[in-house]
């Protein structure tokens, strides 16, 4: 979820900080104050388009940053690690800088990133709903993923994709075999020779590190033993050894400490040093008894290391990598063996196709069942969101060719009015309608959605009264499972928020700026009263505002 949003010199905002909490957060303010600028800032931080006009007048650059708690999203953390964009565990920091010349720089966890990388990270973190382009539900792939999540078929979808890749890989191998049979035979013979040589070495995983450590011990056995023995003598066995002297000094000062308390701390240090020196002497004695001085073992170790070195030079690999190289060569050899036998390869391709067909058919069955249920549930949710008589359906269309995602495409279709035909969600004309359909979908599928932060802008466009209160309650309900931020001008929606921020505007003559502040209860009552009564706030509107806030 979003922890903090920081804005500097963006449009009319000179400086603003938003520390968002869990649940449902409301953003309100007068028309033109800049409420939607916060949404625009988030949109840019997750890969939206930017231009120089977004830099505040008089500033050289605009700076935006957001800190997210990933909530243990392992897929996102793995993706960032693979791209070299990792940061502190559980935290993702997105940053974007726009300068007056129209240039844009992107950063993920402090690492310079491309706009595509910023967008990919953002897709895991936040969904923005309203009159904005950055909406995951507009993408066919996201619709398919949401349906699979709702059907509990994510593992089956992954298995289907893996089966498809395995089938296509073998299919490509079969095609290659037909085109380059002679070349493969030559490669196969070469691999067979290499594998025979490597098998003679009887390679073991981790052997190189063990041999290197053993060589160090055996090669320096004499010096290790001599050093241990001389150190032992100096500590306890030679004339004038350290331990007896330490004991004598401690004993002498111990008796003197009866006459001067200040000596006791020194005695304690000497006693501690004596104990540690004694322990070191015992460990040295044990170590010296175990030092290996086996010339034959040293010779054998050196010969083994030289053999591994020679193999590494021959196959252009570090000695420690030879076991992995042998495994890779063996896998490649197995594939070439299949290629060398067209009939065997054909059987493998057919078996792989069979595995794919089985997985894809199971996935299709689950999708069909879930599509009907999701269409019914979202249609029901739409009725309370100023879309009475509206319909929602999940359309499955058979693909001409099977793909990694299955046998069908998935499309979310909607009709906002009984008289209108179903059309793809991406073609819904009204931004307010689109936002409310998205809200209905999220209410039904929130528990399956991997995105932790949902942002709604203008979901209350064209509604009011009881419908607005229904929308507010729906957003509050959604906030139980996800962090929800909503820009609104309706008090019925704002009153349902777990917390409320207000955006105000000040200045004039070309120096207009916006300020952002979190409201306490008294501030919320005053803001709700403004939303209810406009510029003229009376005791009656304040009372009504307090009642609305208390009825949440």
């Amino acid at each position: 979820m979003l922890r903090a949003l920081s804005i500097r010199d963006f449009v009319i905002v000179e400086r603003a900080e938003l520390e968002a909490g869990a649940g449902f957060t409301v953003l309100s303010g007068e028309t033109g104050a800049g409420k939607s600028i916060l949404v625009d800032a988030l949109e840019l931080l997750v890969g939206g388009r930017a231009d120089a006009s977004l830099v505040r007048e008089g500033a050289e650059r605009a700076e935006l940053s957001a800190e997210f708690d990933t909530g243990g999203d392992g897929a996102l953390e793995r993706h960032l690690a693979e791209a070299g964009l990792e940061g502190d565990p559980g935290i993702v920091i997105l940053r974007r800088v726009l300068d007056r010349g129209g240039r844009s720089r992107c950063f993920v966890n402090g690492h310079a990133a491309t706009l595509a990388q910023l967008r990919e990270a953002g897709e895991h973190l936040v969904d923005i709903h309203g009159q904005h382009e950055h909406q995951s539900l507009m993408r066919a792939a996201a619709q398919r993923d949401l349906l699979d999540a709702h059907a509990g078929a994510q593992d089956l979808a992954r298995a289907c994709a893996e089966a498809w890749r395995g089938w296509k890989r073998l299919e490509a191998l079969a095609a290659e075999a037909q085109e380059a049979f002679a070349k493969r035979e030559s490669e196969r013979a070469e691999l067979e020779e290499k594998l025979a040589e490597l098998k003679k070495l009887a390679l073991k995983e981790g052997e190189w590190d063990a041999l290197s450590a053993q060589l160090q011990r055996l090669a320096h056995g004499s010096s290790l033993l001599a050093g241990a023995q001389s150190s032992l003598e100096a500590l306890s066995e030679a004339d004038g050894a350290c331990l007896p002297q330490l004991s004598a000094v401690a004993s002498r000062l111990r008796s003197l400490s009866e006459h001067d308390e200040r000596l006791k701390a020194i005695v304690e240090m000497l006693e501690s040093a004596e104990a540690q020196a004694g322990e070191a002497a015992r460990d040295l004695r044990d170590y010296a008894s175990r030092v290996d001085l086996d010339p034959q073992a040293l010779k054998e170790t050196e010969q083994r290391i030289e053999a591994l070195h020679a193999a590494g030079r021959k196959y252009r690999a570090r000695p420690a990598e030879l076991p992995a190289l042998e495994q890779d060569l063996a896998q490649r050899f197995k594939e070439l063996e299949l290629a060398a036998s067209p009939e065997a390869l054909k059987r493998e391709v057919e078996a792989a196709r069979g595995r794919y067909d089985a997985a894809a058919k199971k996935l299709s069955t689950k999708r069909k069942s879930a599509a009907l249920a999701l269409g019914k549930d979202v249609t029901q949710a739409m009725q309370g969101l100023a879309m009475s008589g509206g319909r929602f359906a999940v359309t499955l269309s058979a693909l001409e060719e099977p793909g990694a995602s299955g046998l069908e495409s998935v499309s979310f279709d909607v009709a906002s009015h009984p008289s209108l035909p179903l059309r793809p969600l991406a073609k819904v004309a009204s931004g307010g309608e689109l936002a409310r359909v998205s809200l209905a979908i999220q209410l039904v599928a929130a528990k399956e959605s991997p995105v932790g932060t949902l942002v709604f802008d203008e979901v209350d466009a064209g509604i009011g009264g009881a419908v607005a209160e229904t929308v507010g309650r729906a957003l509050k309900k959604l906030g139980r499972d996800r962090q929800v931020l909503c820009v609104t001008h309706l008090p019925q929606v704002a009153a349902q928020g777990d917390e409320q921020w207000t955006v105000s505007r000040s200045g004039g003559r070309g120096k207009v700026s916006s300020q952002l502040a979190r409201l306490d209860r008294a501030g919320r009552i005053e803001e709700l009263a403004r939303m209810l009564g406009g510029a003229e706030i009376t005791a009656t509107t304040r009372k009504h505002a307090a009642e609305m806030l208390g009825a949440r």
Side-chain angles (χ1 to χ4, degrees):
M1 73 173 196
L2 177 67
R3 284 185 171 184
L5 173 66
S6 175
I7 301 174
R8 299 287 184 275
D9 296 322
F10 182 64
V11 192
I12 59 172
V13 178
E14 181 177 0
R15 186 179 295 259
E17 305 282 345
L18 172 68
E19 295 180 2
F24 178 28
T25 296
V26 173
L27 300 169
S28 64
E30 295 181 356
T31 301
K35 300 184 296 296
S36 293
I37 290 175
L38 300 175
V39 180
D40 294 338
L42 270 175
E43 187 176 13
L44 284 174
L45 280 168
V46 293
R49 293 183 179 180
D51 59 63
S53 66
L54 298 174
V55 179
R56 190 176 67 89
E57 187 67 31
E60 289 300 316
R61 65 183 63 85
E63 295 189 21
L64 312 171
S65 66
E67 179 181 326
F68 292 88
D69 183 337
T70 64
D73 187 344
L76 173 59
E77 292 184 356
R78 285 192 299 274
H79 171 74
L80 293 177
E82 289 170 1
L85 301 173
E86 64 271 32
D88 293 335
I91 299 295
V92 172
I93 298 175
L94 305 181
R95 180 167 170 260
R96 194 162 180 187
V97 179
L98 315 175
D99 66 23
R100 179 61 64 187
R103 290 180 294 274
S104 169
R105 289 180 292 155
C106 306
F107 302 88
V108 177
N109 289 326
H111 305 284
T114 64
L115 184 61
Q117 288 173 325
L118 190 72
R119 187 178 298 115
E120 288 169 2
E123 287 175 355
H124 289 264
L125 298 168
V126 61
D127 259 345
I128 300 176
H129 301 272
Q131 295 181 18
H132 296 272
E133 293 179 2
H134 182 77
Q135 301 169 40
S136 68
L137 288 177
M138 301 285 279
R139 302 192 304 271
Q143 294 177 6
R144 183 184 64 241
D145 291 344
L146 193 148
L147 175 64
D148 289 343
H150 193 67
Q154 292 161 307
D155 290 341
L156 188 54
R158 283 191 287 270
C160 179
E162 289 173 6
W164 185 83
R165 286 191 290 269
W167 165 37
K168 289 301 176 180
R169 181 182 178 186
L170 285 171
E171 199 172 57
L173 187 63
E176 281 184 50
Q178 294 297 324
E179 294 176 4
F181 182 78
K183 181 180 177 181
R184 285 186 172 276
E185 277 296 289
S186 174
E187 184 183 355
R188 190 175 70 87
E190 184 181 348
L191 280 176
E192 189 172 25
E193 183 180 342
K194 288 180 179 179
L195 283 170
E197 291 181 2
L198 290 173
K199 284 179 181 177
K200 286 181 182 178
L201 286 173
L203 298 166
K204 298 176 183 176
E205 192 68 41
E207 180 186 16
W208 176 256
D209 291 338
L211 283 171
S212 299
Q214 183 177 350
L215 180 63
Q216 288 293 319
R217 290 194 300 272
L218 291 171
H220 298 86
S222 297
S223 58
L224 290 172
L225 180 59
Q229 289 175 338
S230 63
S231 300
L232 187 58
E233 288 179 3
L235 278 172
S236 63
E237 296 178 358
D239 293 338
C242 296
L243 272 171
Q245 290 192 49
L246 275 173
S247 180
V249 171
S251 177
R252 189 179 308 119
L253 291 178
R254 191 180 300 110
S255 61
L256 291 174
S257 67
E258 296 177 2
H259 308 297
D260 190 341
E261 291 285 334
R262 291 176 296 175
L263 289 173
K264 287 187 176 181
I266 299 173
V267 171
E268 289 177 359
M269 287 189 286
L270 288 170
E271 288 174 343
S272 175
E274 181 184 1
Q276 290 185 21
E279 186 176 349
R282 287 191 296 274
D283 289 349
L284 274 172
R285 195 172 289 112
D286 180 66
Y287 174 79
S289 68
R290 296 172 183 270
V291 173
D292 197 348
L293 297 176
D294 187 343
Q296 182 60 32
L298 174 60
K299 181 179 179 181
E300 292 173 357
T301 301
E302 288 176 336
Q303 289 174 343
R304 179 63 173 170
I305 282 181
E306 178 53 35
L308 295 181
H309 262 306
R313 287 192 297 270
K314 183 172 183 178
Y315 298 117
R316 297 182 180 179
R318 290 193 293 270
E321 297 172 349
L322 288 173
L325 174 64
E326 183 179 12
Q327 291 180 6
D328 291 343
L329 293 179
Q331 176 63 31
R332 179 61 176 163
F333 183 76
K334 181 180 178 181
E335 292 176 352
L336 291 173
E337 283 283 282
L338 288 173
S341 173
E343 287 302 318
L345 185 54
K346 182 180 179 182
R347 288 192 297 271
E348 288 287 335
V349 172
E350 290 173 350
R353 173 63 191 267
R355 289 190 293 270
Y356 169 78
D357 285 341
K361 287 175 182 176
K362 287 182 181 178
L363 180 58
S364 294
T365 300
K366 279 208 163 190
R367 281 176 174 169
K368 288 174 184 176
S369 176
L372 291 172
L374 184 60
K376 179 181 177 181
D377 292 343
V378 174
T379 296
Q380 183 177 352
M382 289 168 62
Q383 308 312 304
L385 298 175
M387 302 185 80
S388 180
R391 307 185 311 284
F392 178 86
V394 181
T395 302
L396 305 179
S397 303
L399 295 170
E400 292 184 6
E401 292 291 335
S405 59
L407 302 175
E408 59 278 314
S409 63
V410 177
S411 173
F412 285 1
D413 297 334
V414 65
S416 58
H417 189 272
S419 62
L420 297 176
L422 287 166
R423 292 189 302 159
L425 182 63
K427 295 183 179 180
V428 172
S430 165
E433 289 177 350
L434 175 60
R436 290 196 297 280
V437 172
S438 299
L439 174 59
I441 295 170
Q442 291 292 348
L443 285 171
V444 174
K447 291 184 179 180
E448 288 83 13
S449 173
V451 178
T453 299
L454 305 175
V455 180
F456 291 90
D457 189 15
E458 299 185 18
V459 294
D460 48 17
I463 62 173
V467 174
E469 188 174 344
T470 301
V471 170
R473 288 177 178 172
L475 289 167
K476 187 175 182 67
K477 180 180 178 182
L478 186 57
R480 296 171 190 166
D481 298 307
R482 293 288 181 272
Q483 181 189 45
V484 177
L485 281 75
C486 178
V487 173
T488 183
H489 64 272
L490 292 179
Q492 296 93 333
V493 173
Q496 297 297 326
D498 296 310
E499 66 175 35
Q500 185 170 352
W501 291 69
T502 184
V503 182
S504 59
R505 184 171 179 171
S506 63
R509 295 184 180 180
K511 293 185 179 180
V512 176
S513 63
S514 290
Q515 290 81 39
L516 179 66
R518 179 192 275 123
L519 299 177
D520 57 14
R521 178 174 174 79
R524 291 191 70 179
I525 291 173
E526 197 69 15
E527 174 65 4
L528 288 174
R530 182 199 64 76
M531 297 170 79
L532 282 165
E536 196 72 32
I537 300 176
T538 66
T540 302
T541 55
R542 287 192 179 95
K543 182 180 178 181
H544 188 189
E547 289 174 350
M548 291 179 69
L549 200 57
R552 291 187 301 145

